[in-house]
């Protein structure tokens, strides 16, 4: 488990932005997966303040709540507000305006999977982790955990009584780099368990080159160092 540990959430946002900026280049196309949540939002704010040539980069959404795109709970709304609209970064987002999450996920998969699989593109995907060990919308006990194809699927989450649409483990594995952003003492136990080999969804994520866990001191407090 490759980890980078920083003092606090502000340092986490800076470190994440550094890693992302290092991957962005006008010399090659880049796919950038934008996670939802408050920790990634701080990173987006840092990125928006930097001078980066985004012309060869396309952003996408690793998972989305089944809500309208202008709903306050929407991951794509947060991504647009915090980053993509501010820097004129192209964003391909799933269509959540209809009433069929299965069809929406299938259509988005048809768009995103070929772009991630292309040998000509670099890809870096940001993810978070919940206190239950879920990542994206791959929640413990849900059917999407059994789908390892390189696709995007609808996933009903009984514990939340709602639909989500999400990248599968297979689709995430097409990323060259996956970067977890995890902060807070509430997640320290799961981080330590995953580092010890416990079977949680976040611990099953792989990448072509590396999976990096960016942790603040609170989230890393259960690790042996």
């Amino acid at each position: 488990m490759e980890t980078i540990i920083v003092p606090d959430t502000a340092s986490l946002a800076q470190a994440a932005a550094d890693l992302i900026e290092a991957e962005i280049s006008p010399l090659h196309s880049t796919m950038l997966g934008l996670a939802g949540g408050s920790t990634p939002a701080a990173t987006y704010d840092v990125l928006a303040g930097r001078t980066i040539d985004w012309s060869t980069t396309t952003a996408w959404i690793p998972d989305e709540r089944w809500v309208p795109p202008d709903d306050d709970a929407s991951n794509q709304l947060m991504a647009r507000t915090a980053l993509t609209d501010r820097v004129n970064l192209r964003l391909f987002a799933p269509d959540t305006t209809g009433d069929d999450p299965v069809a929406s996920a299938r259509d988005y998969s048809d768009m995103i999977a070929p772009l991630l699989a292309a040998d000509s593109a670099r890809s870096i995907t940001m993810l978070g982790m919940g206190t239950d060990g879920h990542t994206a919308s791959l929640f413990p006990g849900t059917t999407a955990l059994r789908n390892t194809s390189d696709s995007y699927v609808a996933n009903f989450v009984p514990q939340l009584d709602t639909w989500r649409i999400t990248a599968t483990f297979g689709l995430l594995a097409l990323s060259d780099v996956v970067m977890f952003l995890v902060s807070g003492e509430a997640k320290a136990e799961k981080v330590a368990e995953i580092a010890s080999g416990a079977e949680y969804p976040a611990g099953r994520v792989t990448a072509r080159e590396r999976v990096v866990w960016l942790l603040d001191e609170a989230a890393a407090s259960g690790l042996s160092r």
Side-chain angles (χ1 to χ4, degrees):
M1 182 176 179
E2 180 181 350
T3 59
I4 298 174
I5 301 170
V6 297
D8 50 33
T9 55
S11 302
L12 192 67
Q14 293 288 341
D18 289 345
L19 283 178
I20 293 168
E21 186 173 5
E23 290 288 339
I24 305 301
S25 169
L27 302 179
H28 58 70
S29 60
T30 304
M31 293 293 294
L32 175 61
L34 299 177
S38 58
T39 304
T43 299
Y44 304 153
D45 189 58
V46 173
L47 286 169
R50 296 188 178 183
T51 303
I52 298 174
D53 182 351
W54 296 102
S55 62
T56 59
T57 301
T58 299
W60 66 287
I61 305 294
D63 79 301
E64 183 58 284
R65 296 173 171 89
W66 192 245
V67 296
D70 58 353
D71 189 284
D72 287 344
S74 168
N75 286 339
Q76 61 184 284
L77 176 64
M78 187 275 279
R80 292 183 193 280
T81 303
L83 180 61
T84 63
D85 285 356
R86 294 171 64 185
V87 299
N88 198 29
L89 169 59
R90 181 170 52 249
L91 172 65
F92 290 162
D95 181 2
T96 57
T97 59
D99 57 6
D100 188 349
V102 174
S104 176
R106 182 175 58 247
D107 291 345
Y108 194 54
S109 180
D110 290 344
M111 177 194 302
I112 295 300
L115 297 175
L116 289 174
D119 291 336
S120 59
R122 290 283 297 169
S123 57
I124 180 167
T125 301
M126 300 173 64
L127 295 174
M129 184 191 72
T131 55
D132 60 354
H134 87 267
T135 190
S137 282
L138 298 167
F139 285 82
T142 57
T143 59
L145 299 185
R146 300 194 293 271
N147 189 326
T148 56
S149 64
D150 55 351
S151 61
Y152 206 92
V153 298
N155 193 31
F156 186 74
V157 184
Q159 51 267 55
L160 301 176
D161 191 28
T162 189
W163 283 95
R164 299 282 184 93
I165 54 176
T166 185
T168 59
F169 290 118
L171 188 64
L172 295 173
L174 295 177
S175 303
D176 292 295
V177 179
V178 170
M179 181 174 62
F180 279 93
L181 276 66
V182 185
S183 64
E185 188 177 356
K187 301 184 180 176
E189 181 178 354
K190 285 293 184 293
V191 169
E193 289 179 8
I194 289 170
S196 298
E199 185 80 357
Y200 291 104
R204 291 178 56 186
V205 174
T206 61
R208 286 173 168 170
E209 293 179 5
R210 59 197 287 236
V211 177
V212 184
W213 287 73
L214 278 173
L215 312 169
D216 65 6
E217 286 284 358
S221 59
L223 296 175
S224 299
R225 287 182 278 166

